[in-house]
Amino acid sequence: MGLATALPAGGGRGPGALELGGLLEDLVRVHRPARPLGSVPASIPHLAGVDFSRFGIAVATVSGEVFSAGDAALPFSIQSISKVFSLALALGHDGGGGLWQRVLREPSGTAFNSLVQLEAEGGIPRNPFINAGALVVTDHLIEAFGDASGEVLRLLASPSGRCSVNEEAFASELARSERNFALAHFLADLGNLRNPADAVVRHYVRQCSVEMSCADVARAGLFLANDGVGPAGRVVSPSVAKRIGAVMLTCGMYDAAGEFAYRVGLPSKSGVGGGILAIVPGVCAICVWSPRLDAHGNSLAGTSALAELTDRTGWSIF
Ligand code: GLU
């Protein structure tokens, strides 16, 4: 791929605008699933019915352009991608105000919804992207804002005006949230929850039930590639943006952060709805979505498409 000036790229590599449009179309052709390989999350009945062949990808650049291909305009369930935005809100509000005393910044090495680790480690979750850690972040946001999930939705919607809760998905997940309730009660028992477990889980599940398109998620995540400034203005300081990227790199891909860093090489966060938000610092935010998941809960086709994208563009932090 030749050099071009239309799009800034890490280390002077990367495609120009025209080439990027063609590249994304290529990725759709190659990676859109032809067969229903992989799994859907058992704990969220609503997601089981999503067409396995969906595949969308969008790139929002720091220069204000959005490139997209495939099903990039279709809303999907962002699930745990929302955890990046709740963390940004918590850290942006008052520098975190003690949050980092209540949750660590280490990869978990266990499933994202593990109870065992939380008990063994005295109620301090390993990181804000596993469920226990995200529940602590939500608890923090309830103290800071009251309407925690409403505030997360406002941040997600700020660049595009588009972001809504799928009420059916919310109800179906809440009805199957025994594990999240168990985690919240454990946190409360171990002194790391300040609001009622019921309220914390409701706000948490609500932010997970947000539906947005790849194009809108990429726009919403752009502040992470742009020193904390998104299309609608500053979200966090440059240093907080850098640190959220670090937590994404080490903890954003469930128990496959090492494998994903090896294959893709970008700070990323995935959700069990099959979406992945990836950040190319100084260049762009990428969102890819395809609903079928690998054994770790990451989108199968989304991961392979990002691996090819970063190979072909040179977009990697390594
Ligand atoms: N709402 C899901 C849960 O709490 C999110 C899981 C995910 O996307 O990692 O289980």
Side-chain angles (χ1 to χ4, degrees), residues 44-112:
I44 310 178
H46 182 80
L47 295 180
V50 181
D51 180 350
F52 71 85
S53 70
R54 291 292 181 206
F55 181 97
I57 186 162
V59 174
T61 72
V62 296
S63 51
E65 291 168 289
V66 178
F67 301 86
S68 62
D71 298 317
L74 277 189
F76 68 92
S77 186
I78 70 167
Q79 293 295 324
S80 277
I81 294 175
S82 65
K83 292 172 181 168
V84 174
F85 296 85
S86 52
L87 179 63
L89 270 178
L91 297 179
H93 179 59
D94 54 359
L99 182 69
W100 290 130
Q101 271 79 63
R102 302 175 60 196
V103 55
L104 306 176
R105 301 181 290 255
E106 295 297 342
S108 68
T110 56
F112 66 93

Side-chain angles (χ1 to χ4, degrees), residues 20-201:
L20 182 58
L23 198 165
L24 297 184
E25 294 295 344
D26 273 3
L27 295 178
V28 174
R29 266 192 300 278
V30 173
H31 296 279
R32 187 191 283 283
R35 286 175 296 142
L37 297 176
S39 60
V40 288
S43 60
I44 310 178
H46 182 80
L47 295 180
V50 181
D51 180 350
F52 71 85
S53 70
R54 291 292 181 206
F55 181 97
I57 186 162
V59 174
T61 72
V62 296
S63 51
E65 291 168 289
V66 178
F67 301 86
S68 62
D71 298 317
L74 277 189
F76 68 92
S77 186
I78 70 167
Q79 293 295 324
S80 277
I81 294 175
S82 65
K83 292 172 181 168
V84 174
F85 296 85
S86 52
L87 179 63
L89 270 178
L91 297 179
H93 179 59
D94 54 359
L99 182 69
W100 290 130
Q101 271 79 63
R102 302 175 60 196
V103 55
L104 306 176
R105 301 181 290 255
E106 295 297 342
S108 68
T110 56
F112 66 93
N113 54 8
S114 169
L115 287 155
V116 177
Q117 189 169 54
L118 186 63
E119 185 175 26
E121 298 187 354
I124 306 295
R126 278 285 179 100
N127 67 67
F129 293 157
I130 55 173
N131 285 15
L135 290 166
V136 170
V137 173
T138 300
D139 188 46
H140 185 90
L141 291 181
I142 294 175
E143 289 203 303
F145 298 105
D147 181 8
S149 51
E151 208 60 35
V152 175
L153 261 79
R154 272 188 283 284
L155 175 58
L156 283 163
S158 58
S160 65
R162 285 182 297 271
C163 160
S164 57
V165 169
N166 181 317
E167 297 293 344
E168 198 191 321
F170 171 62
S172 96
E173 185 178 345
L174 196 61
R176 290 287 316 273
S177 277
E178 292 88 353
R179 198 169 264 272
N180 285 325
F181 280 109
L183 287 168
H185 285 294
F186 248 116
L187 287 164
D189 181 59
L190 295 166
N192 200 4
L193 208 70
R194 295 167 183 166
N195 293 281
D198 184 55
V200 175
V201 172

